[in-house]
């Protein structure tokens, strides 16, 4: 079951699938950033054995995802486009508390929420894409993202009481929903919703309001 406070509407997936190459390039950069975020956690908390043990293999896996996405782009005669800033990750980063102990929990929970959002969007992409290769790519990746989500929770449980995790997770889930809903729509993995007028569907507004 998805643990997100706001669910991506179907109008988003239809709109991003109009430019699969732009989406793939942005997605490849997301995998690269995921690998680097995991490595940064290891660099910051080298003495946390469970964290290092679980996240080392995850960094390798995110790079494998990166290579997989780049190979699909190459197979279509395209190269990676320039990296762009990620207002989604920046917005979530601002929600994290600053004390060393609080920051580690928040970074783990935020990383887990990003995995959860990626899982949700890969599932939509796998379901709606008419392109067999992309369908297979997204179907394969969503399994990994669900596992990564569980791993971040597991590492958090190794260091923090369950009640603290649940309270903070609830707050960060609300923050994540607020951040992503406020982002403009773009052909990117972590963009905001298509405006109701652009979606051309008066019911899409109600869909945006629907809780997860
Ligand atoms: Fe990944
Ligand atoms: Fe991941």
């Amino acid at each position: 079951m998805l643990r997100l406070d706001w669910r991506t509407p179907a109008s988003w997936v239809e709109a991003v699938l109009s430019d699969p190459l732009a989406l793939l390039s942005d997605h490849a950069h997301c995998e690269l950033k995921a690998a680097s975020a995991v490595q940064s956690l290891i660099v910051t908390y080298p003495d946390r054995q469970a964290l290092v043990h679980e996240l080392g293999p995850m960094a390798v896996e995110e790079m494998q995802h990166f290579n997989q996405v780049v190979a699909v782009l190459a197979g279509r005669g395209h190269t990676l486009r320039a990296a762009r800033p990620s207002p989604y990750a920046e917005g979530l980063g601002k929600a994290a508390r600053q004390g060393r102990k609080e920051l580690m929990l928040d970074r783990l929970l935020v990383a887990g929420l990003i995995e959860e959002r990626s899982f949700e969007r890969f599932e939509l992409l796998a379901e709606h894409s008419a392109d067999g290769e992309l369908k297979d790519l997204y179907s394969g990746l969503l399994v990994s993202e669900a596992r990564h989500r569980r791993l971040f929770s597991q590492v958090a449980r190794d260091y923090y009481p369950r009640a603290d995790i649940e309270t903070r997770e609830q707050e960060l889930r609300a923050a994540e929903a607020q951040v992503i809903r406020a982002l403009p729509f773009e052909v990117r993995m972590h963009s905001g919703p298509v405006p109701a007028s652009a979606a051309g569907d008066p019911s899409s507004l109600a869909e945006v309001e629907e809780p997860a």
Side-chain angles (χ1 to χ4, degrees), residues 29-44 55 58-60 62-63 66 107:
H29 281 293
C30 289
E31 299 288 0
L32 204 51
K33 283 176 195 156
S36 114
V38 166
Q39 289 175 74
S40 161
L41 275 164
I42 296 171
V43 168
T44 314
L55 301 192
M58 198 193 290
V60 174
E62 299 295 16
M63 283 312 296
F66 169 77
R107 286 180 72 179

Side-chain angles (χ1 to χ4, degrees), residues 31 34 58 62 65 115 144-145 148 152:
E31 299 288 0
M58 198 193 290
E62 299 295 16
H65 294 169
E115 297 286 356
S144 301
E145 306 311 352
H148 293 170
F152 281 120

